[in-house]
Amino acid sequence: MIFAEIIVLLGAIYLGVRLGGIAIGYAGGLGVVALTLLGLKAGNIPWDVILIIMSVIAAITAMQEAGGLDYLVKLASNVLRRHPKHINFLAPTVTWLLTVFAGTGHTAFSMIPVITEVAKGENIRPCVPLSIAVVASQIAITASPVSAAVVFMASDLALGGLGIDYPTLLLIWIPTTYLGCMLTAFIMNIFCKMDLSKDPEYIRRLEAGEVSKAVKHEEMELKPHAKRSVLIFLIGVLAVVFYASAISNNVGLIKPSVVTGYETVYEKDKPELFAQLRDQQKLEVIETLDKGAYVNKPIKVLALTRDNAIISFMMMIATFIVILCKVDVGKLSSTSTFRSGMTACVCVLGVAWLGDTFVSNHTAEIKSIAVDFVKSYPPVLAVALFLASMLLYSQAATAKALIPTVIAALGMTAANNGDAYILVASFAAVSALFVLPTYPTLLGAVQMDDTGSTQIGKYVFNHPFFIPGVLAIAITVALGFVFAPMML
């Protein structure tokens, strides 16, 4: 049956990719129905990931309507236009910074026309800076303090439960992802064909009058409270980072209350935790229809967990922006950020639910493979995350589907976390959303490059984002395996 299940899994994903856009999520729901008809139990819906994405998008939407995104784009555009010859390095730097700041790679949309225009003005094929910039915006998700993927990895279900604190994770992921993107830019700068005037497609379009000339930059008119909205958002992000750091295991500035009693754990809800506690003989198993178990242990209770903190802080930020920047709330739902963000939520809902349905029903098989391969060949985990993310279409969904299972398979705990560096180093590999040329920012780059240098080949995978994407992830993971053991 497992072959039939794999066919359903890949078939639903393929259908979603062919339909494109929000339909990727629709097809995921179809796949869940099909798998349950084959006898599998429906997996868990990743509500925490979806709610984090929604809350962050809500805050960014308010900032966009207040003019804050225009202000950020203006700053970034000025940097690119003042140093056009270095666009291959500055373009990915700008998109990386915007994503780290905002927690979503969709901010790169606003920079694509600027990158194209500056490249044309310097006779540089736009596909080179565009491809690196789009990839950088995806990898930066694994370094953003407010992204759903990073918040999950720092939670008690992942690295937080192994005693690794939030600030340490950021200190590893921020420099390794940026260095990975810059080294990729350096390699691409050396080996790529840069001369736009010799590009055959550009010559054809130029002769046919299909290419617009590079225009001079006109000063962007900003809304009155644009800078204020950015400041409010920045303060909010810093507040999230401070709170998440303050509740981390090795910092502990905010102490949770501790109560002693019985905690109920159900195998159907938390199979990895149930198996881990059972193996450690910390369960008093009560055989019921739900296979419940009681744990007699101290229970730490936080008034506001890390997930709840980022959700509530982001909503608070949006509230302050609306009030202090006099935002017209009637226009919020029509902004490009809101539409793309809600589309992302539906995609994560369908595809991540589909992936969890398959993974949760084959936990035992995955554990046996993980124990044999990951311990012997640590980089294998990065390969698995790479392949999973190109199908699950989300960094957070990929981490949520595989990381807890790998932790349980390797028997890692807070007292036995010697292999945790493998997870930390491999995390950037969840960013392989560029492999299938269907991601919104990737398609946006193809459509907005009127020179024709950024094209998707007829063999699907032969597109300009593939090589820089693989290079950037490989270099970032390699740097992770250097830095992580030293930092943990």
Side-chain angles (χ1 to χ4, degrees):
M1 289 296 292
I2 192 170
F3 293 106
E5 294 163 9
I6 292 174
I7 290 173
V8 169
L9 173 70
L10 298 179
I13 292 172
Y14 176 76
L15 175 62
V17 168
R18 287 295 303 270
L19 294 174
I22 199 172
I24 295 171
Y26 298 163
L30 173 64
V32 172
V33 173
L35 289 179
T36 56
L37 291 176
L38 291 175
L40 297 189
K41 178 184 175 183
N44 295 317
I45 297 176
W47 290 118
D48 50 351
V49 173
I50 293 171
L51 291 174
I52 289 171
I53 294 173
M54 288 178 64
S55 61
V56 172
I57 290 298
I60 296 175
T61 297
M63 182 172 67
Q64 179 182 14
E65 185 58 32
L69 278 187
D70 289 338
Y71 175 63
L72 290 175
V73 170
K74 178 182 178 181
L75 293 179
S77 300
N78 289 340
V79 172
L80 290 177
R81 296 178 196 282
R82 288 173 184 171
H83 309 279
K85 296 186 182 299
H86 305 295
I87 189 172
N88 287 342
F89 296 94
L90 292 177
T93 296
V94 165
T95 56
W96 182 89
L97 283 171
L98 287 174
T99 301
V100 168
F101 176 69
T104 169
H106 292 292
T107 52
F109 266 122
S110 55
M111 294 310 305
I112 290 173
V114 180
I115 295 170
T116 302
E117 181 185 326
V118 173
K120 284 163 59 177
E122 290 298 313
N123 194 38
I124 295 173
R125 295 174 68 237
C127 76
V128 180
L130 281 176
S131 62
I132 309 170
V134 167
V135 167
S137 71
Q138 294 180 0
I139 293 180
I141 289 291
T142 60
S144 172
V146 294
S147 73
V150 169
V151 172
F152 172 76
M153 288 295 286
S155 70
D156 289 339
L157 291 177
L159 296 168
L162 302 179
I164 301 174
D165 61 84
Y166 182 75
T168 300
L169 294 175
L170 292 180
L171 286 174
I172 296 172
W173 290 333
I174 288 176
T176 54
T177 54
Y178 181 68
L179 285 174
C181 293
M182 289 301 98
L183 289 173
T184 299
F186 177 75
I187 294 171
M188 298 294 290
N189 199 54
I190 293 176
F191 292 103
C192 285
K193 296 178 180 178
M194 306 289 292
D195 194 343
L196 177 61
S197 62
K198 295 181 180 179
D199 186 282
E201 179 61 18
Y202 172 70
I203 294 173
R204 186 197 68 78
R205 292 190 180 193
L206 194 64
E207 292 175 349
E210 299 175 2
V211 182
S212 62
K213 295 182 179 180
V215 296
K216 294 184 178 180
H217 173 56
E218 296 181 2
E219 192 67 22
M220 184 184 298
E221 185 177 348
L222 298 175
K223 292 184 178 180
H225 304 298
K227 296 180 181 179
R228 184 184 299 174
S229 68
V230 173
L231 178 61
I232 294 171
F233 190 88
L234 176 60
I235 292 173
V237 171
L238 294 176
V240 169
V241 174
F242 173 78
Y243 183 84
S245 301
I247 64 174
S248 292
N249 294 322
N250 296 343
V251 179
L253 296 178
I254 297 178
K255 300 291 185 182
S257 59
V258 178
V259 296
T260 302
Y262 285 96
E263 179 185 13
T264 306
V265 179
Y266 290 102
E267 186 176 23
K268 66 174 183 178
D269 294 331
K270 299 180 179 179
E272 294 87 2
L273 178 60
F274 186 93
Q276 181 181 347
L277 293 174
R278 181 185 58 202
D279 294 341
Q280 296 171 359
Q281 297 182 341
K282 292 185 177 180
L283 288 179
E284 179 186 338
V285 178
I286 308 298
E287 292 294 341
T288 66
L289 292 177
D290 293 323
K291 292 185 179 179
Y294 296 97
V295 189
N296 187 10
K297 66 174 186 178
I299 303 170
K300 295 182 178 180
V301 181
L302 275 169
L304 201 61
T305 64
R306 187 177 285 107
D307 289 2
N308 291 340
I310 189 171
I311 293 170
S312 57
F313 280 33
M314 286 293 124
M315 301 298 280
M316 180 178 65
I317 291 168
T319 303
F320 283 139
I321 292 176
V322 167
I323 295 173
L324 299 178
C325 301
K326 301 178 181 178
V327 172
D328 183 354
V329 294
K331 297 180 179 179
L332 293 177
S333 60
S334 61
T335 62
S336 59
T337 299
F338 184 85
R339 292 196 300 271
S340 62
M342 293 306 106
T343 298
C345 286
V346 174
C347 291
V348 169
L349 169 61
V351 178
W353 192 12
L354 172 64
D356 189 78
T357 298
F358 180 81
V359 170
S360 62
N361 282 272
H362 296 287
T363 301
E365 296 92 328
I366 294 173
K367 285 182 179 179
S368 63
I369 295 173
V371 171
D372 293 336
F373 283 93
V374 175
K375 280 196 171 184
S376 302
Y377 310 100
V380 167
L381 177 59
V383 176
L385 293 174
F386 183 97
L387 295 175
S389 65
M390 62 177 277
L391 299 176
L392 295 181
Y393 220 59
S394 163
Q395 291 94 335
T398 303
K400 189 174 180 63
L402 295 184
I403 293 300
T405 302
V406 173
I407 290 175
L410 298 179
M412 285 189 280
T413 63
N416 178 31
N417 63 0
D419 292 328
Y421 76 94
I422 300 174
L423 305 177
V424 177
S426 302
F427 178 47
V430 302
S431 302
L433 281 62
F434 57 82
V435 176
L436 297 174
T438 54
Y439 200 73
T441 48
L442 187 154
L443 292 176
V446 173
Q447 294 166 0
M448 295 181 196
D449 179 11
D450 61 353
T451 67
S453 68
T454 310
Q455 291 188 356
I456 299 172
K458 63 179 180 178
Y459 300 111
V460 182
F461 294 103
N462 57 328
H463 55 78
F465 307 89
F466 188 83
I467 292 177
V470 172
L471 275 176
I473 286 181
I475 294 172
T476 300
V477 169
L479 291 172
F481 274 101
V482 173
F483 283 97
M486 294 188 297
M487 298 286 289
L488 299 179

